[in-house]
């Protein structure tokens, strides 16, 4: 069981980052490969301003880093293990979603 405040804080930050679908898309895109903001904005079909706000959130959560490349910036996951964690989490969530043993899931708002 997690008892250290720092462990709990880290997990809460990760949860806040994943709470937004656009940030999830960014993390999944960066799981594949580092990318420039302009490429991410185009791939996700969102404005650069909106992307910038989400990248700032992900940087503040410690999940992504901005790497200067000449006069441009490239974003990547802070640690390659985050990519593996995202894969594991996605696999687990999909498996749980497929298991409809909770017949009251929709009524409880957890479907």
């Amino acid at each position: 069981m997690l008892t250290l405040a720092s462990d709990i804080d880290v997990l809460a930050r990760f949860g806040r980052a994943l709470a937004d679908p656009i940030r999830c898309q960014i993390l999944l895109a960066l799981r594949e490969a580092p990318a420039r903001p302009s490429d991410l904005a185009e791939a996700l079909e969102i404005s650069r301003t909106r992307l910038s706000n989400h990248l700032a959130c992900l940087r503040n959560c410690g999940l992504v880093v901005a790497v200067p490349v000449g006069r441009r910036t490239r974003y990547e996951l802070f640690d390659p293990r985050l990519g593996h964690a995202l894969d594991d989490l996605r696999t687990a969530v999909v498996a749980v979603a497929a298991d409809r043993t909770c017949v009251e899931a929709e009524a409880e708002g957890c479907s």
Side-chain angles (χ1 to χ4, degrees):
M1 183 168 138
L2 294 176
T3 55
L4 295 175
S6 62
D7 290 347
I8 294 167
D9 290 343
V10 167
L11 285 174
R13 281 197 318 265
F14 190 65
R16 279 192 299 276
L18 292 177
D20 186 279
I22 292 175
R23 289 194 294 269
C24 288
Q25 288 178 299
I26 293 168
L27 289 171
L28 291 174
L30 294 178
R31 183 187 99 250
E32 297 297 323
R36 297 181 322 199
S38 58
D39 296 332
L40 284 169
E42 184 178 325
L44 300 177
E45 298 179 345
I46 61 173
S47 71
R48 289 185 187 185
T49 301
R50 193 168 177 198
L51 177 75
S52 178
N53 291 333
H54 287 291
L55 286 171
C57 175
L58 292 171
R59 277 193 322 270
N60 291 336
C61 288
L63 300 177
V64 302
V65 292
V67 178
V69 180
R71 293 176 31 187
R72 295 185 164 198
T73 301
R74 178 187 75 217
Y75 281 84
E76 58 189 50
L77 295 177
F78 176 77
D79 187 309
R81 291 176 290 186
L82 286 170
H84 299 294
L86 288 167
D87 287 338
D88 290 344
L89 183 60
R90 187 173 58 170
T91 301
V93 169
V94 168
V96 169
D99 180 12
R100 288 298 191 196
T101 57
C102 179
V103 294
E104 298 173 357
E106 288 185 39
E108 296 293 325
C110 57
S111 58

